Amino acid sequence: MAVNKTSGKGKWILIAIIVILVLLLASAAGWWFLLRPSAAPTPAQIAKEREAKVKFIDLGSLVTNLQSSDGSTHYIQVEVQLKTYDPSIDAKVKALMPEIRNSILLLLAAQHADQVGQPQVRTDLLNEIKKRVNGILDSDGGTLPAAQTSAKQPIAAVYFSSFVIQ
C-alpha cells in the first residue's frame, strides 16, 4: 500500500491561504459594520431639528396708501415676519433691508382698498412677498440673479403679525 504524504511545504501554503481568507473575511465584516448606513431619521426627528434652527426676522412696520375707487384716501399698515431655517440669512436680510422694504411697499401700494381685506388676497400677498424677498436674497444686490446653489429657498414662509386697513 502506498501512502501519499503531502509535503511539509504544501501544508504551510494551505494554512497560509486559509489564514489570509479568514483575515479578509474578518476585515470585510468589520468594514461592513463600520460603513453601513445608519437608520434614516424619522420625520419627527427631522421636524425637531428644523424647529431648533427656525429663526424669525422682523421687517418692522410698513405703512403706505392703497389704490381707491371711491376717491378717499386709504392706508395699509402691516408688520411682516420672515421665517428661515438658515441663521446666516439674518445678516443678509439686514444688509438688503432697504431693497426688501421698498419691494414690499410697492406691492402693497398697488393693492385696492376694497379687495385687500379678503383672505385670498392676503394669502396671495404673503406668497408674492416671499417670492420677492427670495428673489432679492438670491441676487447680487438686486440686479442680476445669482447662480442657484440649491433648490432650497432662503425664506421658508412669510407672516403678517399685524394687518390694518384704514
Side-chain angles (χ1 to χ4, degrees), residues 43-156:
Q45 290 171 330
I46 293 171
K48 188 175 180 180
E49 288 175 15
R50 285 194 76 183
E51 277 188 34
K53 294 180 183 178
V54 72
K55 174 144 180 79
F56 287 92
I57 303 166
D58 184 13
L59 296 183
S61 181
L62 300 160
V63 180
T64 188
N65 57 329
L66 293 168
Q67 300 289 323
S68 178
S69 56
D70 63 3
S72 59
T73 305
H74 297 279
Y75 296 97
I76 185 170
Q77 176 185 4
V78 296
E79 290 185 20
V80 179
Q81 303 284 326
L82 305 177
K83 181 180 183 179
T84 184
Y85 295 102
D86 184 355
S88 67
I89 294 299
D90 189 26
K92 194 168 183 181
V93 167
K94 286 187 179 16
L96 296 171
M97 187 68 77
E99 188 174 355
I100 291 170
R101 287 178 56 91
N102 179 64
S103 180
I104 295 171
L105 284 170
L106 291 175
L107 174 66
L108 293 173
Q111 302 304 308
H112 291 276
D114 54 344
Q115 296 173 350
V116 78
Q118 299 172 2
Q120 184 59 44
V121 173
R122 290 182 185 192
T123 302
D124 293 343
L125 279 173
L126 289 172
N127 291 331
E128 183 61 25
I129 291 170
K130 177 183 170 186
K131 179 181 168 188
R132 287 181 179 210
V133 171
N134 281 326
I136 291 169
L137 293 174
D138 286 338
S139 69
D140 71 339
T143 56
L144 298 172
Q148 291 291 332
T149 56
S150 69
K152 191 173 155 184
Q153 295 180 327
I155 301 301

Side-chain angles (χ1 to χ4, degrees), residues 9-25:
K9 197 175 198 183
K11 194 187 250 184
W12 285 107
I13 292 175
L14 182 62
I15 290 173
I17 290 174
I18 290 173
V19 168
I20 290 172
L21 286 175
V22 168
L23 288 174
L24 285 174
L25 287 173

